[in-house]
Amino acid sequence: MLYRSTNGKADKAGFLDAVAHGLAPDGGLYVPERYPRLSQEFLDNLQGRDLNTIAFEVLRPYVEGDLPDEEIREVISDAFTFDAPLVQLSDGIFVLELFHGPTLAFKDFGARFMARLMRRKSRGETTILTATSGDTGAAVASAFHRLPGFRVVVLYPSGKVTRFQEQQIATLGDNVAALEVKGNFDDCQRLVKQAFGDFELRSKVILCSANSINVARLLPQTAYFFRACAQLPAGSSVFCSVPGGNFGNLTAGLIGREMGLPVQGFIAATNANDVVPRFLSGGVYEPGPVVDTLSNAMDIADPSNFARICSLFGDDDRIRANLSGSAWSDSQTKQAMRDLFEKYRYIAEPHGAVARLALGNLPGIFVETAHPAKFASIVSDALGIHYSPPAEFDELIKRKKVSIEIGVEYEDVKREILR
Ligand SMILES: *Cc1c(COP(=O)(O)O)cnc(C)c1O
């Protein structure tokens, strides 16, 4: 498979080159040239198939030529050591739980796949450099932790991630350096950008961002949408509501649909950061300022994967014909969390609750992107109970923090990268 840039001004690249570049040289995002439909035999016999079998079928067309079948299987079985269970709440409502990986958010699927792939196709001792507002840093640090040939440098804003997220990012040690920045997430992102633009630094170390625009993080996510359908009762007809920040998760689902995923349609669910729903209901695509919300992993003004959604459908009318969306406030989100708890005794965290809201009265699946333990205080507040993370997380909560405190000066970051 070859990958082209959404900006259309870069040469096409094979899978491993697209992974190594991350962003295309013309500043666009890589997308596969085509989205091959899976065989009818496979689609007709989806029911009951396990995640790894499905992931192999889904991913093979995208990595063919760069990775022999046996290696694809090994990368998948090393990466996906946990399932994506579908939980039935009522006759027509299902939750796809994507939080059973080591850092309890769906980002484990993409980050672990990318890490296992890069280890096999190593281009030399590599430093993974990433800025995080919480879940990405945790998933990337965990995925590369103790992986020979890699060092991880994560920048996170001091006091602006949850305690649980900080424990996940800043207690690993070994090859993971957690830089606790006395600033906000934008400072962290700016410092990371500066490092990527520093040619002197880049002549000394191989840097890679492992961020969510990378095709190695995007494509493995398509597999769990097929796995969801494999767990539906026979003959179900469903919609699928996905909570969106940068919309990588939703894009992976839409790719699935091109490949024959049996869902009626996708719904883009957002919090007050509603640039995509506004566009879908006929408005112009016009990013405003970021609004802080309870579902903070979705507090993004200008989602990077919108360019991929545009390239997938070609024009605005086709996007609107294939995708609907809606935006929800924090008070509606908390109400949805209460409803899910009162009706089904189901404890949802805010991102999943937004997806529940956007599903409305349609029969279908809403996607839970994180474990409620990551947002314990919001859950307690919304449900009016004292929710504490399950005992299995006690060990994590007690681990000793080993972060390196730095200011917002680039020289501090550079020194740590070169250490
Ligand atoms: C990252 C994240 C999202 C947003 O996912 P995108 O693929 O960027 O749309 C939603 N929920 C949680 C919990 C996340 O960590």
Side-chain angles (χ1 to χ4, degrees):
M1 178 69 77
L2 288 177
Y3 291 76
R4 61 181 180 81
S5 163
T6 51
N7 282 356
K9 295 194 183 76
D11 290 341
K12 288 181 183 166
F15 176 69
L16 292 173
D17 286 330
V19 172
H21 294 158
L23 208 60
D26 64 356
L29 273 63
Y30 281 113
V31 287
E33 266 192 319
R34 344 173 248 112
Y35 301 97
R37 204 181 152 82
L38 294 175
S39 76
Q40 203 53 47
E41 197 274 330
F42 177 78
L43 295 171
D44 288 343
N45 295 290
L46 196 54
Q47 225 165 33
R49 294 215 190 201
D50 64 78
L51 179 64
N52 287 14
T53 309
I54 289 172
F56 174 74
E57 295 295 329
V58 169
L59 284 163
R60 182 159 63 163
Y62 298 109
V63 302
E64 227 168 12
D66 278 274
L67 221 56
D69 284 2
E70 213 30 58
E71 283 194 44
I72 306 172
R73 282 207 176 85
E74 283 169 17
V75 169
I76 289 170
S77 63
D78 276 0
F80 295 176
T81 49
F82 45 91
D83 200 2
L86 189 73
V87 174
Q88 180 158 22
L89 297 185
S90 74
D91 256 5
I93 307 179
F94 302 83
V95 196
L96 177 60
E97 293 187 346
L98 298 181
F99 54 73
H100 294 276
T103 71
L104 314 180
F106 80 94
K107 292 182 175 76
D108 283 326
F109 287 96
R112 285 175 65 86
F113 181 85
M114 181 168 184
R116 269 77 196 154
L117 176 78
M118 285 181 67
R119 181 174 56 172
R120 277 172 183 274
K121 299 291 167 189
S122 175
R123 298 190 176 198
E125 187 77 25
T126 302
T127 298
I128 308 290
L129 176 65
T130 192
T132 187
S133 56
D135 290 337
T136 298
V140 169
S142 159
F144 287 92
H145 184 216
R146 293 188 180 149
L147 219 55
F150 294 93
R151 201 171 157 243
V152 183
V153 178
V154 183
L155 282 73
Y156 71 96
S158 181
K160 298 209 165 61
V161 301
T162 70
R163 167 102 204 285
F164 199 92
Q165 288 170 327
E166 181 169 38
Q167 287 298 106
Q168 291 182 320
I169 297 164
T171 63
L172 292 169
D174 305 319
N175 64 335
V176 176
L179 307 188
E180 180 175 355
V181 179
K182 288 197 203 72
N184 56 27
F185 176 57
D186 287 337
D187 293 317
C188 297
Q189 256 184 326
R190 177 175 52 76
L191 291 165
V192 163
K193 271 203 188 126
Q194 211 168 335
F196 277 101
D198 179 346
F199 291 104
E200 200 246 342
L201 173 69
R202 298 194 73 174
S203 69
K204 295 184 179 147
V205 285
I206 302 179
L207 283 188
C208 166
S209 83
N211 69 13
S212 70
I213 57 147
N214 201 294
V215 286
R217 283 192 49 192
L218 176 74
L219 294 169
Q221 300 179 158
T222 300
Y224 52 65
F225 288 99
F226 282 95
R227 173 67 184 135
C229 291
Q231 296 170 80
L232 283 168
S236 305
S237 161
V238 294
F239 288 82
C240 187
S241 174
V242 184
N246 271 319
F247 287 94
N249 205 355
L250 177 69
T251 303
L254 294 171
I255 290 173
R257 209 153 162 246
E258 300 294 306
M259 301 175 77
L261 183 77
V263 300
Q264 299 289 308
F266 274 93
I267 301 160
T270 73
N271 57 31
N273 295 281
D274 62 351
V275 63
V276 170
R278 265 191 289 123
F279 165 82
L280 291 172
S281 21
V284 286
Y285 183 86
E286 201 171 24
V290 179
V291 182
D292 287 341
T293 74
L294 289 179
S295 44
N296 67 351
M298 300 165 19
D299 294 350
I300 289 165
D302 185 8
S304 50
N305 282 291
F306 188 69
R308 284 198 169 113
I309 296 176
C310 293
S311 98
L312 192 72
F313 291 118
D315 64 60
D316 291 5
D317 290 340
R318 278 204 66 218
I319 300 175
R320 293 187 180 117
N322 279 281
L323 187 63
S324 64
S326 53
W328 305 87
S329 70
D330 279 353
S331 61
Q332 289 171 312
T333 304
K334 284 201 263 185
Q335 184 61 48
M337 290 166 74
R338 274 194 292 280
D339 285 350
L340 286 166
F341 187 61
E342 279 160 18
K343 280 194 197 133
Y344 314 113
R345 295 280 124 187
Y346 190 80
I347 298 181
E349 53 72 58
H351 305 81
V354 169
R356 168 67 194 102
L357 285 163
L359 188 61
N361 293 325
L362 291 169
I365 298 168
F366 67 93
V367 173
E368 240 310 3
T369 42
H371 192 292
K374 288 192 117 168
F375 300 92
S377 67
I378 298 174
V379 171
S380 295
D381 175 49
L383 305 188
I385 58 173
H386 180 73
Y387 170 78
S388 51
E392 60 189 293
F393 305 130
D394 284 356
E395 191 269 329
L396 170 71
I397 305 231
K398 289 192 192 120
R399 263 191 244 153
K400 191 171 158 2
K401 186 166 128 180
V402 287
S403 66
I404 302 155
E405 289 179 33
I406 63 164
V408 293
E409 282 77 43
Y410 174 61
E411 286 313 310
D412 292 351
V413 178
K414 185 165 182 172
R415 193 187 56 237
E416 291 305 328
I417 294 173
L418 288 170
R419 191 180 287 272

